[in-house]
Amino acid sequence: MANLNKVMLIGRLTREPESRTIPSGNKVVAFGFAVNNRKKNAQTGQWEEEPVFLDCEAWNSGREGGRQLGDLVEQYLHKGHQAYIEGHLRLDQWQDKNDGSKRSKLKLVVDNVQFLEPKSDGANGEGGTRAPRQAAAPAPRKPQAQPAYTPSDDSYGEQDHTESSSSGGGGGGDEIPF
């Protein structure tokens, strides 16, 4: 039986990336990400945007040479920035500290990222999993639908839980030209 666990999303960061080093020495950078689902309102017949909030992790392990993915996310992506990310889903499970109940959450482990925000100096910031390209003039881009989420929206709360037992190393992926 074949299996496929691949996610491709364009959305915006909902919080600043936060890094931590796990006991094995690997660095992981966690951040929130929001994408929109479009649905038609049955009463009005109008299309509406429904935001979906995800917890993401970018790991420094599994990369050969060059910059590590977690370091790139931490350095170049910030709350409100738009990005294209590829990854796979992982189920984290833990014991709730307050009532002892078993909890779980799906996370997106990032395998590849493409920066869709221009650099602060005005140069084009698209660059796959490498540092953003140094370009004199930005390349033309197709207009993209903007998510309904705005960086000032702080309605997404993060749950506190202990380290998962899964290894979570992020592998490499092919760069997608956008």
Side-chain angles (χ1 to χ4, degrees):
M1 182 165 142
N3 288 303
L4 177 65
N5 182 0
K6 180 143 182 120
V7 178
M8 298 181 292
L9 303 168
I10 293 178
R12 293 189 180 273
L13 272 71
T14 61
R15 63 181 184 270
E16 286 294 319
E18 299 174 8
S19 67
R20 71 182 191 282
T21 303
I22 61 173
S24 68
N26 285 339
K27 181 178 181 180
V28 61
V29 177
F31 60 97
F33 201 71
V35 296
N36 280 344
N37 283 336
R38 285 190 68 183
K39 67 176 189 173
K40 198 169 196 176
N41 185 315
Q43 283 86 21
T44 65
Q46 299 290 323
W47 285 98
E48 297 176 348
E49 301 287 328
E50 181 179 58
V52 176
F53 298 98
L54 303 162
D55 284 330
C56 301
E57 293 180 341
W59 292 78
N60 270 356
S61 61
R63 289 264 188 225
E64 295 296 325
R67 301 282 304 268
Q68 299 288 315
L69 186 60
D71 291 335
L72 291 172
V73 167
E74 184 178 31
Q75 182 175 358
Y76 294 109
L77 290 179
H78 301 285
K79 182 177 179 178
H81 279 188
Q82 188 177 40
Y84 166 83
I85 58 175
E86 286 182 16
H88 59 276
L89 296 175
R90 186 185 73 217
L91 181 65
D92 280 353
Q93 297 179 330
W94 69 96
Q95 206 73 19
D96 190 290
K97 293 177 183 177
N98 297 327
D99 62 10
S101 63
K102 189 173 183 178
R103 305 284 307 257
S104 63
K105 176 185 256 188
L106 276 177
K107 284 191 176 181
L108 176 66
V109 178
V110 178
D111 297 326
N112 190 19
V113 64
Q114 187 167 12
F115 310 112
L116 299 179
E117 290 287 324
K119 285 176 44 173
S120 59
D121 65 359
N124 187 359
E126 296 177 336
T129 57
R130 291 186 275 280
R133 291 180 225 150
Q134 302 296 322
R141 294 194 321 232
K142 297 177 198 170
Q144 307 257 340
Q146 297 295 317
Y149 168 80
T150 58
S152 61
D153 181 8
D154 291 324
S155 62
Y156 181 62
E158 186 174 349
Q159 298 172 352
D160 183 25
H161 62 279
T162 59
E163 192 72 26
S164 169
S165 62
S166 56
S167 64
D174 291 337
E175 203 170 303
I176 305 251
F178 259 63

